[in-house]
Amino acid sequence: MSDTSLTAAPEFSLPSSSGETVSLSDLAGNPAVLFFYPRDNTPGCTTENLDFTALYGEFQSLNCAVFGVSKDSMASHEKFISKKALAVPLLSDEDGTLCEDFGVWVEKKMYGKTFMGIERATFLIDGDGQIVKAWRKVKVKDHAQEVLDAVRAL
């Protein structure tokens, strides 16, 4: 998927750390950000979640929903949120369906080993359910601000 092509976001329905089940259809009418990250309580993922938390009020003022997504369980998400005082709700994609649908479940290499894992990626979805911007292979530094700037530009 290129950064500029409009593609319909895959429908989903996942448990959220907010205690609700969140579906794409629930987000209709306003923009939404889904940021996929590999694992709770790891250094890069913690920094990314803290950066989105720091800007969460600004996203909310733009009527933009923001969700972090990983394959971690709800119990793991709840511990992560509590330990790091995160404001951004986290979605649990334990079976990996949403990761597959967004194409972020990929082959990765680390220390000479090949394995499957979540590519750090972020998707901006407009109020009509179209992906208007995709960031692949995200570098954490300044990323949340870049996403906020893209939401402002909508």
Side-chain angles (χ1 to χ4, degrees):
M1 176 184 340
S2 77
D3 278 8
T4 56
S5 67
L6 283 178
T7 306
E11 181 55 60
F12 64 89
S13 184
L14 291 175
S16 168
S17 59
S18 67
E20 305 164 332
T21 297
V22 175
S23 300
L24 180 65
S25 55
D26 296 336
L27 307 176
N30 291 309
V33 170
L34 295 180
F35 68 94
F36 290 83
Y37 64 95
R39 287 197 53 193
D40 290 347
N41 285 304
T42 56
C45 300
T46 297
T47 299
E48 185 175 25
N49 273 279
L50 289 171
D51 289 352
F52 274 104
T53 288
L55 297 174
Y56 189 58
E58 292 185 58
F59 281 102
Q60 287 183 307
S61 73
L62 297 168
N63 293 317
C64 179
V66 179
F67 297 96
V69 184
S70 76
K71 289 182 68 169
D72 293 297
S73 67
M74 286 311 304
S76 174
H77 280 345
E78 287 162 10
K79 285 181 195 160
F80 186 35
I81 288 166
S82 176
K83 182 176 177 184
K84 300 297 181 182
L86 302 177
V88 174
L90 303 179
L91 303 179
S92 177
D93 184 30
E94 281 192 89
D95 68 6
T97 302
L98 191 62
C99 291
E100 292 271 357
D101 290 348
F102 272 88
V104 301
W105 185 246
V106 298
E107 188 174 274
K108 298 170 90 174
K109 290 184 179 169
M110 188 183 300
Y111 308 120
K113 298 211 184 305
T114 301
F115 59 96
M116 294 301 289
I118 296 175
E119 171 187 71
R120 192 180 308 280
T122 301
F123 299 89
L124 174 55
I125 302 165
D126 70 12
D128 296 324
Q130 299 295 306
I131 298 171
V132 293
K133 184 138 178 78
W135 292 264
R136 306 303 299 246
K137 297 183 180 166
V138 166
K139 301 290 182 236
V140 173
K141 185 174 172 30
D142 301 323
H143 176 63
Q145 183 64 55
E146 186 182 341
V147 175
L148 180 62
D149 292 344
V151 172
R152 283 192 181 119
L154 281 180

